[in-house]
Amino acid sequence: MNLNKVTPMSIRTNALAGLVFAAQLAMAPASAQDKSIAEEIARYRQLLQDGNPAELWEARGEGLWKEKRGPKKISLEQCDLGKGPGVVKGVYAVLPRYFPDADRVMDLETRLVYCMTTQQGYSEAEATKTPYGSSNRRSDIEALVAYITSESRGEKMNAPLNHPKEKEAYLIGEKMFYFRGGPHDFACTTCHGESGKRIRLQDLPNLSDPEDAKRAYTTWPAYRVSQGEVRTMQWRLYDCFRQQRFPELKFTSDASIALTTFLAHKAQGGVLDAPALKR
Amino acid sequence: MRMRHLPIATLAAALVAGCATMSDSDVSQRAVAMMKSSFKERGQAKLDRLDQDEVQALCSRKPDDPALPRAAEERINATQKAAIRYPADGKLLGDWRAGEKIAQTGVGKQYSDDPKRPAGGNCYACHQMTKKEISYGTIGPSLYNFGKIRGYGEDMQTYAYGKVYNPQAYTACSNMPRFGHNGILTEQQIKDVVALLMDPQSPVNK
């Protein structure tokens, strides 16, 4: 998904990939070369899958979920994520969805912010202060999302599409997916509309193909090895749009939820396996 | 009950009909309005990046939309070709070594990029170019031996320059950015990239 492969981070990643694969590639003809690159990258990912550091985020998130916090000193255990107050098991499989109390379609991140403000008494600004963490500033949202999504492992994606606002979000998300703009004329579909394509050596999921869409959606959130952080679906969209040369996507904005709704339905039936581990 | 016997297109139509008054153009308008309130300007990336020009609007099509009419494709080709600015000095080939650096560089125009630094072309993100660089993408066709296969003549140089400057002049709704038209690369940078493609000494043609 990187459109700008020459950041220092990606140079490191490419260099690492290059070291691992250079030997096989030197002799291979073009088509066989492409195939062996894909196979070797898959093997590299397999090796990394042992012991996912996301477990640390999951544990911290579970603590944050149960801890009495905020001005009102209460835990999030009465938060209704879509299956009733306090139910965590399986909720990620039925999000985004319409919540009557907020009169809005919400994804997990947005719903967490809603509970932090309405129940724990945080201000909107406090609740959304650090949506994306770094080594010196941890994100509570990323930890909570890691914990809650881990409780949906093995569940099949089954987000509802009944309420008019869910349908509207889906249709707008679909429009956004094909919307070309910015100085580079990029849309989501520029990189994610055809099967078997790559940016540099990075395989790109074709999100209009159900199998690819399931594989991609069900493995977010993920621990990103190159960043040393667990990243959420909100982050995934945020950073795609940066590389798309668009302005900055606001955290938990309506457009971010609409696009997630569209993608969640593209992945309908996919078995959740997140937080996953990615390069 | 009956629904499951209906073809997918009918189901999609039924889905739209579910939002009684939302036509496809209603959805488009709401999508744009929602995006305008959901993004914020940052650095060089202002909200006007969400304002589509005619090419972007015509090329934002869902798979189940009707194909772009031939007349619209021809219109895109014509308007975009007419807007290509070729170098005043008539020279189309720069330095392929500089072109290789531009082809390798992916920064530019993101809000995270320094606008004072030159942008890259990031050709390798999508194209195979040389034998030496094995880290190339496959969204675009291989450009290995570009000049060697097509010839090094002036017509081909003009084509290569125009294609990098504005691919929509040749292929309506191409995925490739309009590097000259949209001011991503400078005239000299495009010359250098054209040299990478067209200079017989360039590793692209070895």
Side-chain angles (χ1 to χ4, degrees):
Chain A
M1 298 195 189
N2 270 354
L3 300 179
N4 61 325
K5 289 302 292 189
V6 191
T7 60
M9 207 173 290
S10 62
I11 288 173
R12 279 206 305 276
T13 316
N14 284 343
L16 177 59
L19 276 177
V20 177
F21 313 128
Q24 287 103 317
L25 297 178
M27 301 294 175
S31 60
Q33 172 178 313
D34 285 351
K35 191 160 170 280
S36 89
I37 289 171
E39 282 168 2
E40 289 302 317
I41 289 175
R43 206 162 61 101
Y44 166 70
R45 293 218 180 95
Q46 202 76 49
L47 289 171
L48 288 172
Q49 202 73 42
D50 259 350
N52 185 343
E55 285 169 17
L56 300 172
W57 274 253
E58 293 168 29
R60 188 162 75 85
E62 184 173 7
L64 288 168
W65 177 258
K66 292 174 177 168
E67 189 187 328
K68 293 183 168 53
R69 302 172 71 228
K72 294 189 184 165
K73 291 268 177 288
I74 55 171
S75 79
L76 286 167
E77 287 166 299
Q78 287 307 302
C79 178
D80 181 356
L81 298 171
K83 289 194 159 194
V87 180
V88 171
K89 193 87 196 151
V91 291
Y92 199 57
V94 292
L95 290 170
R97 54 157 285 177
Y98 174 77
F99 287 88
D101 54 6
D103 189 28
R104 191 183 171 199
V105 177
M106 293 172 149
D107 61 1
L108 177 57
E109 293 89 319
T110 308
R111 190 62 184 172
L112 281 168
V113 169
Y114 179 83
C115 288
M116 288 169 75
T117 53
T118 58
Q119 296 182 359
Q120 294 185 312
Y122 286 109
S123 70
E124 183 88 13
E126 286 165 337
T128 58
K129 190 176 52 185
T130 311
Y132 316 120
S134 52
S135 53
N136 55 3
R137 215 167 79 156
R138 296 192 301 182
S139 164
D140 291 347
I141 296 275
E142 283 171 340
L144 283 163
V145 167
Y147 163 59
I148 292 159
T149 55
S150 76
E151 292 288 308
S152 290
R153 274 207 188 93
E155 300 274 340
K156 277 191 180 172
M157 275 306 296
N158 187 27
L161 199 54
N162 304 315
H163 193 278
K165 291 204 175 181
E166 291 165 352
K167 292 176 185 174
E168 182 185 7
Y170 174 91
L171 290 172
I172 288 176
E174 182 182 37
K175 278 283 175 199
M176 285 178 64
F177 188 81
Y178 296 99
F179 183 95
R180 297 185 69 170
H184 285 57
D185 299 333
F186 288 152
C188 306
T189 191
T190 309
C191 290
H192 300 293
E194 274 188 85
S195 298
K197 298 292 183 185
R198 306 191 315 246
I199 292 268
R200 292 281 186 158
L201 292 178
Q202 176 69 39
D203 289 325
L204 298 164
N206 174 7
L207 298 175
S208 51
D209 172 77
E211 289 314 309
D212 263 18
K214 284 179 200 172
R215 235 187 331 269
Y217 192 92
T218 57
T219 50
W220 284 98
Y223 177 82
R224 288 291 302 266
V225 175
S226 55
Q227 305 195 10
E229 297 286 343
V230 167
R231 295 306 189 196
T232 62
M233 183 56 85
Q234 280 279 334
W235 177 88
R236 179 60 281 167
L237 301 183
Y238 166 87
D239 206 53
C240 269
F241 279 118
R242 179 183 66 83
Q243 295 169 88
Q244 217 172 303
R245 275 72 180 174
F246 277 37
E248 184 180 346
L249 182 66
K250 292 185 199 168
F251 183 60
T252 68
S253 57
D254 286 338
S256 69
I257 296 165
L259 187 52
T260 301
T261 301
F262 171 68
L263 296 174
H265 283 278
K266 283 284 157 195
Q268 203 76 324
V271 178
L272 286 166
D273 189 21
L277 189 136
K278 294 175 190 272
R279 66 172 179 84
Chain B
M1 320 132 269
R2 271 243 172 101
M3 288 289 276
R4 64 200 153 106
H5 301 298
L6 296 174
I8 299 224
T10 317
L11 283 174
L15 184 71
V16 178
C19 324
T21 55
M22 275 228 291
S23 70
D24 192 60
S25 70
D26 282 345
V27 177
S28 287
Q29 281 177 16
R30 289 208 214 178
V32 170
M34 187 183 281
M35 288 170 78
K36 289 250 169 169
S37 66
S38 294
F39 286 85
K40 60 182 172 196
E41 70 169 56
R42 179 166 164 186
Q44 58 182 311
K46 311 293 184 199
L47 281 180
D48 64 6
R49 291 192 178 184
L50 301 172
D51 298 329
Q52 292 180 312
D53 74 356
E54 188 191 19
V55 170
Q56 291 171 334
L58 285 170
C59 295
S60 295
R61 307 181 87 73
K62 302 186 270 97
D64 55 356
D65 285 339
L68 191 64
R70 184 76 201 119
E73 286 185 12
E74 283 168 4
R75 186 180 148 72
I76 289 174
N77 291 160
T79 59
Q80 300 299 297
K81 196 167 275 176
I84 296 176
R85 297 285 166 264
Y86 290 95
D89 65 5
K91 290 200 181 106
L92 298 172
L93 260 60
D95 171 5
W96 68 259
R97 288 176 188 81
E100 166 71 11
K101 287 199 184 94
I102 294 162
Q104 290 281 5
T105 305
V107 297
K109 301 287 184 191
Q110 298 165 123
Y111 55 70
S112 50
D113 295 326
D114 179 354
K116 293 195 281 291
R117 283 183 54 204
N122 213 11
C123 314
Y124 283 106
C126 297
H127 298 284
Q128 182 183 30
M129 309 275 294
T130 58
K131 264 272 171 274
K132 195 176 155 208
E133 179 54 270
I134 59 159
S135 175
Y136 60 85
T138 57
I139 292 176
S142 172
L143 302 177
Y144 181 60
N145 282 351
F146 183 90
K148 196 173 179 183
I149 291 166
R150 294 167 179 81
Y152 299 112
E154 207 172 310
D155 284 358
M156 194 49 66
Q157 290 182 14
T158 306
Y159 166 73
Y161 191 95
K163 182 87 182 176
V164 175
Y165 190 98
N166 192 339
Q168 303 285 345
Y170 305 88
T171 309
C173 300
S174 163
N175 279 331
M176 184 171 150
R178 293 173 281 176
F179 289 102
H181 188 84
N182 282 343
I184 302 164
L185 298 179
T186 64
E187 180 179 290
Q188 184 58 49
Q189 285 182 305
I190 297 176
K191 286 183 179 186
D192 293 339
V193 171
V194 172
L196 180 65
L197 293 168
M198 291 296 294
D199 191 319
Q201 299 309 311
S202 159
V204 165
N205 296 314
K206 293 291 176 187

